[in-house]
Every structure is written in C-alpha cells, then in structure tokens.
C-alpha cells in the first residue's frame, strides 16, 4: 500500500481483503479530518458505536480484544441500535460529543454465530470468502435499528491482560495514557509524526473529558464481559 499525504491518495496492490481496503479508505478520511479538526471539530475513530434511546456508547480496543464480539452482543437486544462496528466519526460540540456512522455495510466473520446464536441465520445469508469473512447489509441485519447519529455518553476501552482487574472506571488522563500505550488502538494510521501525535492526543483528551470512560479487560467469557457493560449506556 502507498499513501501520498498531500493529495490524500492511496494505492493498494494485490489485495483481495475488503476489510483492509475499507479500513485504508476510512484511514484516509481520518487523515483529512485531523488536518481540519481544530476548525470543524470533527474526527474519525477506529472503534464501534451502539445507540440506545438517543444515547451512544463507543467501544475502542486493539485488534483481538473483542470489539466486534461485544458490539454484536449488545445488538442482540432490540433496544440497542447499530451505528458502526469498525469506524465512526465524531463532532465535538461545546456541550456534547456527537457520533456518526461511517458506512452501510458490516464486515463479519462466520465465528460470530458461534458466540451469539442470535446471528446464526443472518450469517448463513452472507456470502463468505475462503477465510469465513463476508459483507452484510446492516439494514438487513438490524431492520429498523440503524441510526445515522447519536450523542456519545460512554466510552469502553478494551484490553486483554490476565494480570489486570476485569473492569474499572478511568479518569480522562488515564484513558489517554492507555490510548498512547496502545497506539490509539488503530493500526491504520497513515501518517505518524510528532505533529500528528499531538493532534491525536489533544482530540482524545478532549473527548474523554466529555464522557464517562471505562476499561474492560476481556479475559472473561464474552457473556460475562457483555454483562459488565450492557447497562452502562442507559445508566
């Protein structure tokens, strides 16, 4: 993959993985937003968001910590609405943080149905590749429960470390330290330099100061982890 940051142009060669292409495209949008964040107050985040009654909860974590599993676990409940399961956009206002969906498709794996039986029929309707991955229309998966935007109230950060407690609330600075340690939970940063680092630090600190932030350690079963966060959004 080649990226030209002035023209914001990506060239991807020899790739048959839609999830990678989608993430690179959204990473390019993120790079654009970072340059105009101070003026337009918008940003792109590598994470998922669900809504319940006009209030939203974001789930952010390094790859392999269970972001998608927990997102779909919440969406088993008909009171929860889909906004995004991989990337979302934010707008920081003076009195709120608004989140927006990034796309109309979800890239799912066949093992989703093994964890949450609720989605077994939906997964069977998706055309999967040889690695068990496929593109699903979220309007088909969640009929009447897809939302364009919501007001962010909670953020759940994910880790997987058997030496740490399963769940705790974080102060804004603690949450920022976690994001720095985990490289912003985003393997798709197209430009990495001191100036970009400063922009990302300032954004996440401001975001974390506007919402409640929790750290969930996903060393328990998916259901146990889900139970710890399920009612946060309405609490």
């Amino acid at each position: 993959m080649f990226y030209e940051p002035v023209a914001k142009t990506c060239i991807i060669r020899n790739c048959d993985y839609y999830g990678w292409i989608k993430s690179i495209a959204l990473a390019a949008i993120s790079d654009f937003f970072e340059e105009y964040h101070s003026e337009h107050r918008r940003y792109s985040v590598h994470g998922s968001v669900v809504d319940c009654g006009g209030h939203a909860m974001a789930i952010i974590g390094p790859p392999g910590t269970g972001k998608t599993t927990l997102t779909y676990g919440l969406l088993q409940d008909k009171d929860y609405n889909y906004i995004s399961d991989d990337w979302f956009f934010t707008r920081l206002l003076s009195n709120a943080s608004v989140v927006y969906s990034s796309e109309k498709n979800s890239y799912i794996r066949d093992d989703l149905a093994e964890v949450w039986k609720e989605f077994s029929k939906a997964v069977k309707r998706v055309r999967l590749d040889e690695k068990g991955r496929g593109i699903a229309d979220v309007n088909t998966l969640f009929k009447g429960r897809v939302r364009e935007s919501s007001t962010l109230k909670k953020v759940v950060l994910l880790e997987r470390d058997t030496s740490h407690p399963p769940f705790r609330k974080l102060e804004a600075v603690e949450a920022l330290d976690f994001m720095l340690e985990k490289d912003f939970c985003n393997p798709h940063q197209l430009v990495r330099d001191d100036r970009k680092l400063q922009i990302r630090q300032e954004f996440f600190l401001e975001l974390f100061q506007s919402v409640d932030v929790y750290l969930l350690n996903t060393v328990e079963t998916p259901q146990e982890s889900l139970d710890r966060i399920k009612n946060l959004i309405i609490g």
Side-chain angles (χ1 to χ4, degrees):
M1 195 277 292
F2 303 91
Y3 181 61
E4 201 290 293
V6 176
K8 304 290 188 287
T9 301
C10 297
I11 299 175
I12 302 173
R13 300 176 58 191
N14 301 324
C15 179
D16 62 355
Y17 178 26
Y18 169 82
W20 172 252
I21 295 173
K22 176 201 69 173
S23 292
I24 293 300
L26 289 168
I29 295 173
S30 178
D31 183 47
F32 177 84
F33 276 174
E34 285 175 344
E35 297 304 314
Y36 298 96
H37 167 63
S38 60
E39 179 180 354
H40 298 286
R41 312 282 289 164
R42 295 179 185 269
Y43 202 88
S44 176
V45 180
H46 189 225
S48 64
V49 183
V50 296
D51 162 272
C52 183
H55 292 172
M57 178 167 66
I59 302 175
I60 302 170
T65 53
K67 173 170 57 71
T68 302
T69 298
L70 289 171
T71 301
Y72 277 82
L74 290 169
L75 289 166
Q76 294 178 107
D77 188 324
K78 303 304 181 184
D79 291 332
Y80 289 79
N81 304 305
Y82 178 96
I83 295 180
S84 178
D85 68 354
D86 194 30
W87 287 82
F88 63 90
F89 303 132
T90 68
R91 185 179 183 189
L92 299 178
L93 305 176
S94 59
N95 60 348
S97 296
V98 181
V99 290
Y100 302 89
S101 62
S102 63
E103 60 174 341
K104 304 303 179 186
N105 293 322
S106 177
Y107 202 60
I108 62 176
R109 300 182 63 92
D110 57 0
D111 59 1
L112 177 66
E114 297 175 11
V115 180
W116 309 123
K117 303 301 182 184
E118 172 77 16
F119 294 104
S120 58
K121 291 183 179 179
V123 170
K124 288 179 181 178
R125 291 195 295 267
V126 176
R127 183 177 179 179
L128 303 175
D129 64 18
E130 66 278 3
K131 295 183 179 180
R133 307 169 301 200
I135 304 170
D137 180 353
V138 297
N139 287 295
T140 300
L141 284 175
F142 311 110
K143 293 180 180 178
R145 296 195 292 131
V146 178
R147 299 291 181 267
E148 293 289 336
S149 63
S150 186
T151 301
L152 187 64
K153 294 295 184 180
K154 317 285 184 180
V155 172
V156 176
L157 304 177
L158 303 181
E159 69 171 351
R160 187 164 289 171
D161 189 328
T162 56
S163 66
H164 291 173
F167 188 64
R168 65 188 179 97
K169 189 173 183 179
L170 299 180
E171 298 296 329
V173 173
E174 290 181 291
L176 177 61
D177 287 343
F178 174 88
M179 293 296 282
L180 288 168
E181 179 186 345
K182 303 300 182 182
D183 197 22
F184 300 101
C185 302
N186 183 2
H188 306 296
Q189 299 168 66
L190 297 179
V191 179
R192 299 168 185 263
D193 56 30
D194 290 341
R195 187 178 67 86
K196 285 288 193 178
L197 176 62
Q198 186 64 30
I199 290 173
R200 291 162 190 158
Q201 283 183 271
E202 291 175 357
F203 162 75
F204 278 109
L205 180 59
E206 188 172 359
L207 178 68
F208 294 151
Q209 288 172 336
S210 69
V211 298
D212 292 330
V213 187
Y214 301 85
L215 180 60
L216 175 66
N217 187 3
T218 56
V219 293
E220 300 175 303
T221 67
Q223 186 61 56
E224 288 172 326
S225 292
L226 182 64
D227 290 341
R228 290 188 181 275
I229 65 171
K230 186 169 183 180
N231 294 319
L232 286 179
I233 194 172
I234 57 178

